[in-house]
Amino acid sequence: MSGSAEGMSTPMIAVDTGGTFTDLILLEGGRVTRLKVPSTPADPAAAVLEGIARLLAGSGADAVRSPFDLVHGSTVATNAVLERKGARVVLVTNRGFEDVIEIGRQNRPQLYALTGWRLPPLVGRDDRIGIAGRLDASGEELAPLDPAELAALRDRVEGGEAIAVVLLHSYANPDHEEAVGAALSGIPAHVTLSSRILPEFREFERTATAVVNAYVAPKVAGYLGRIEAQAGARSIRIMGSGGGALPLSRAMREPVHTVLSGPAGGVIGALEWGRRIGIDRLLTFDMGGTSTDVSLVPGAPLHTREGEIGGIPVSIPLLDIHTVGAGGGSLAEIDPAGALRVGPASAGADPGPIAYGNGGMGVTVTDANLWLGRLLPEGFLGGSGSLNREAVRSPITELADQAGLSAEALAEGIIEVVNTAMERALRVISVERGADPGDFHLLAFGGAAGLHAAELSERLALRGVLIPPDPGLLSAFGMLVAPVVRDRARTVHLSSDAAGTEAELISVLDELEGLARREMESEGAPLQALRVQREVDARYRGQSHELRVPAEGWISAFHALHRERYGYGRPESPLEAVTVRVRVELPGAAVAGSAARAGSAEVPRVAPVYWQGDRVSVDVHQREHLTPGRSVPGPALILEYSSTTWCPPGWTIRRDTHGVLHMEPDGAS
């Protein structure tokens, strides 16, 4: 993270709340200050506010005395859905459609189970209110709203902490939803209109998305309101799930856009470092304390609108990220059949791994790495913290006895099991999507990724591993450089062989771009700096799903993409432009890369590491001592503040002029 800001005068702080640590970066006057503090799951804001206060206090002349801007990645919305601890939601919809949220697409979660099960919907049956009124697919009114029902609606929703209003075909005409919203104005509950959150067709996905937004809104608004009141920031932006930052007001109003807030920052940060070193085909690998997030980046981040959280679809712009419950805090156990299992349960931040000394009792991946010597007790957080290896001895020996193994063999087994889970995740987002892993580099970040990256790269036959500067803080760095975005979309259903289609598309795109530009301008964005992306979701007539292509030349682009994706195309067949989209971006902070330092003398040092059943002597290096271009043969450990990198025997690690570590097997071209 060493570097400077280009053209920036106001200090910026980026905060990423993780399951184990909360990561902070202060960018001020060409200096980068980094900090990791333990997360506080019971009160996430406490760790954020503590970290900000410590950064601002500095020491003496280093203290920040001017106003600062804050960009924050929050897990509050995510956790509220996963833990089912959101608001009581009342759903207002068309009479006869109260059960859309429960019926869904009638998919079977357990395909071969005679009696399947699924989590209950976020809205109870008694909290779904059907009202009169109906629009057709073009937005024409078939039946009016009932004024008497509207007048009585305030009493009917009483007791709801949040209200979701979802009426049929509101994407084509929002008037009915707006009328319901007006009837509910002034009630002490957050009101979500689906036509504002997701003006697109497919009523189940629109309903589910609006309900999730309502479900998390009170908790997110309370959390962000506290951050706004106590952090002391001049302005606050929240990292959005689509890879761009959102104004605080929008994040509080539409918190569903923050459900993948932190992982999105990591992908943007990874892409930025790949761009700087000229490598843009990446598999991003973010291994933190509780989970691992992976994503395919074939030159640009991939987006999806078919994401889900806690089994609930959320049809918003999302970076295409796959998550598994495998992290440094993942707990190991011997199951009743005698098999070793690791995760998805995690020790989290409280109490955390045994090695942290906070009362943890279960053996974790971090404890296994420490026992094997891949983590050094005195190397934790750059020496500002320490790990207790002796505390791990009794629990890991007890678990090893259950398995009939030595403690070292069990620890290597824990690493093998968690690596298999992460390998599977990487295959899901590469091989299963038609991408050859051999065409990609693994860009590893997060506090634990450097300990596992080489073995995963070898399993997948990747081109090598890239470790950016301060890998344990990369998600926070990504939030600094992420653009501020405004997405606008509208379902249009236009046929390519109909007269006037192109003119209509351009007209709608121009309108959406104008709306997005005005919103960005009202938030203080300079119009001359904005970048615009216009796209069309298209399909062959009769298909059920769409492919997204650039709006310019959308017909030929669709045929080409369809051939690439599915192996065939029908150029003679008419297309349907289903939804048009506009994204307007304001570039994020320009943070210069690491300066190429000459390095400094380091005291030669070795440490023992258990590797494939043997004890080997390993060279230990501080990352800041590596000179640009220097190659270090494995086995080696590279220590730094936010992470440790394990370079196994048969591998070599090299630092480039940007500060990125390149790790490759010996003999690789």
Side-chain angles (χ1 to χ4, degrees):
M1 294 306 309
S2 302
S4 62
E6 300 172 357
M8 290 188 59
S9 57
T10 302
M12 286 189 68
I13 294 178
V15 183
D16 174 39
T17 302
T20 304
F21 285 97
T22 294
D23 304 331
L24 301 98
I25 295 175
L26 167 64
L27 178 63
E28 182 193 19
R31 300 191 312 275
V32 171
T33 307
R34 62 226 167 131
L35 178 66
K36 293 177 79 75
V37 299
S39 293
T40 49
D43 181 12
V48 174
L49 295 171
E50 177 198 348
I52 291 173
R54 287 173 58 180
L55 279 181
L56 296 180
S59 59
D62 291 336
V64 176
R65 308 187 189 281
S66 58
F68 68 96
D69 296 329
L70 175 66
V71 57
H72 179 25
S74 167
T75 59
V76 172
T78 311
N79 293 339
V81 177
L82 294 178
E83 298 170 4
R84 295 290 175 123
K85 293 181 178 179
R88 177 186 172 186
V89 178
V90 174
L91 173 63
V92 179
T93 188
N94 298 93
R95 187 170 293 123
F97 289 82
E98 296 91 339
D99 295 327
V100 164
I101 188 66
E102 191 159 357
I103 295 170
R105 292 290 172 193
Q106 303 188 58
N107 296 332
R108 293 169 59 94
Q110 300 86 35
L111 188 60
Y112 299 108
L114 292 177
T115 305
W117 65 272
R118 68 178 72 205
L119 289 170
L122 297 179
V123 185
R125 185 62 182 84
D126 292 340
D127 288 329
R128 304 175 208 161
I129 298 173
I131 62 173
R134 188 74 176 271
L135 303 174
D136 67 14
S138 65
E140 293 296 322
E141 187 176 78
L142 297 176
L145 295 170
D146 184 342
E149 280 190 326
L150 292 181
L153 202 53
R154 298 170 71 91
D155 293 333
R156 296 184 69 185
V157 303
E158 188 174 356
E161 299 170 285
I163 316 300
V165 181
V166 187
L167 301 180
L168 287 175
H169 307 304
S170 61
Y171 60 86
N173 181 352
D175 288 352
H176 279 195
E177 281 195 2
E178 293 289 345
V180 174
L184 296 174
S185 64
I187 65 171
H190 184 281
V191 178
T192 294
L193 304 185
S194 75
S195 53
R196 297 182 184 178
I197 294 288
L198 188 64
E200 301 178 30
F201 84 132
R202 294 194 172 102
E203 66 272 14
F204 169 58
E205 285 76 10
R206 186 157 47 85
T207 302
T209 302
V211 166
V212 169
N213 190 78
Y215 187 74
V216 303
K219 181 164 284 193
V220 171
Y223 170 81
L224 294 181
R226 180 178 171 192
I227 297 295
E228 182 181 28
Q230 299 181 26
R234 183 187 71 167
S235 69
I236 300 177
R237 298 199 307 268
I238 307 300
M239 189 66 192
S241 306
L246 313 172
L248 179 69
S249 59
R250 187 182 178 211
M252 295 174 75
R253 187 174 64 251
E254 302 176 7
V256 68
H257 289 285
T258 68
V259 292
L260 283 181
S261 186
V267 173
I268 298 302
L271 182 66
E272 175 66 13
W273 278 110
R275 181 190 63 79
R276 293 179 181 189
I277 64 176
I279 298 176
D280 62 359
R281 296 182 67 79
L282 305 170
L283 286 175
T284 69
F285 168 47
D286 177 7
M287 184 180 180
T290 58
S291 63
T292 291
D293 302 305
V294 296
S295 185
L296 179 72
V297 182
L302 297 180
H303 290 78
T304 180
R305 297 185 74 88
E306 297 178 1
E308 64 175 44
I309 176 169
I312 302 169
V314 282
S315 189
I316 58 170
L318 297 168
L319 289 182
D320 198 356
I321 297 171
H322 181 60
T323 301
V324 292
S330 293
L331 291 163
E333 64 173 353
I334 306 300
D335 72 10
L340 174 62
R341 296 188 179 276
V342 182
S346 172
D350 184 14
I354 298 168
Y356 288 2
N358 295 326
M361 300 296 291
V363 177
T364 67
V365 174
T366 293
D367 298 318
N369 275 313
L370 178 65
W371 188 255
L372 293 171
R374 297 184 182 191
L375 279 174
L376 301 185
E378 69 280 10
F380 186 54
L381 293 180
S384 62
S386 63
L387 299 174
N388 189 341
R389 187 176 188 273
E390 192 57 34
V392 178
R393 181 181 300 276
S394 178
I396 201 169
T397 300
E398 182 179 338
L399 193 64
D401 289 343
Q402 292 182 43
L405 300 170
S406 68
E408 291 73 28
L410 176 77
E412 288 201 306
I414 291 172
I415 302 304
E416 182 74 13
V417 171
V418 79
N419 281 348
T420 299
M422 295 185 295
E423 176 194 1
R424 189 179 305 118
L426 288 164
R427 289 188 181 278
V428 166
I429 57 104
S430 59
V431 177
E432 292 187 13
R433 300 184 185 181
D436 180 359
D439 294 335
F440 294 81
H441 283 79
L442 187 72
L443 197 143
F445 57 98
L451 295 168
H452 302 260
E455 289 156 276
L456 289 171
S457 177
E458 188 170 43
R459 287 172 175 228
L460 289 158
L462 297 167
R463 299 189 67 179
V465 176
L466 306 171
I467 312 281
D470 279 331
L473 294 155
L474 188 74
S475 289
F477 168 76
M479 294 170 194
L480 280 180
V481 301
V484 181
V485 303
R486 190 62 168 124
D487 290 296
R488 278 284 187 173
R490 183 179 300 167
T491 295
V492 292
H493 287 302
L494 297 172
S495 179
S496 63
D497 59 356
T501 288
E502 289 300 322
E504 180 67 15
L505 278 179
I506 293 172
S507 174
V508 175
L509 286 165
D510 287 345
E511 181 184 348
L512 295 180
E513 181 179 334
L515 287 170
R517 282 181 174 274
R518 287 192 293 274
E519 289 169 352
M520 295 284 280
E521 185 180 18
S522 70
E523 294 158 4
L527 291 180
Q528 67 277 10
L530 298 180
R531 301 182 303 217
V532 180
Q533 184 175 331
R534 294 155 67 119
E535 295 176 312
V536 174
D537 290 358
R539 64 189 182 189
Y540 288 118
R541 187 181 295 161
Q543 287 184 318
S544 299
H545 295 280
E546 303 81 47
L547 294 176
R548 187 172 307 171
V549 294
E552 185 174 353
W554 67 280
I555 294 176
S556 58
F558 174 84
H559 291 308
L561 182 57
H562 198 279
R563 280 193 302 272
E564 177 185 323
R565 186 72 57 87
Y566 302 113
Y568 73 97
R570 298 200 305 265
E572 71 285 353
S573 299
L575 306 183
E576 186 179 21
V578 177
T579 302
V580 295
R581 307 186 185 278
V582 170
R583 166 170 281 207
V584 176
E585 295 184 352
L586 176 69
V591 185
S594 296
R597 291 172 289 183
S600 56
E602 64 175 328
V603 178
R605 183 179 171 205
V606 295
V609 172
Y610 288 94
W611 169 251
Q612 296 183 351
D614 294 323
R615 180 172 173 169
V616 298
S617 292
V618 172
D619 293 328
V620 179
H621 303 270
Q622 293 291 334
R623 182 167 181 160
E624 62 266 25
H625 292 155
L626 297 180
T627 54
R630 177 185 173 187
S631 292
V632 174
L637 287 171
I638 311 299
L639 310 185
E640 58 186 302
Y641 173 73
S642 66
S643 185
T644 295
T645 299
W646 162 238
C647 181
W651 286 67
T652 299
I653 195 163
R654 169 182 58 86
R655 178 186 178 221
D656 69 16
T657 56
H658 295 275
V660 175
L661 299 180
H662 298 243
M663 189 160 52
E664 297 176 342
D666 295 344
S669 56

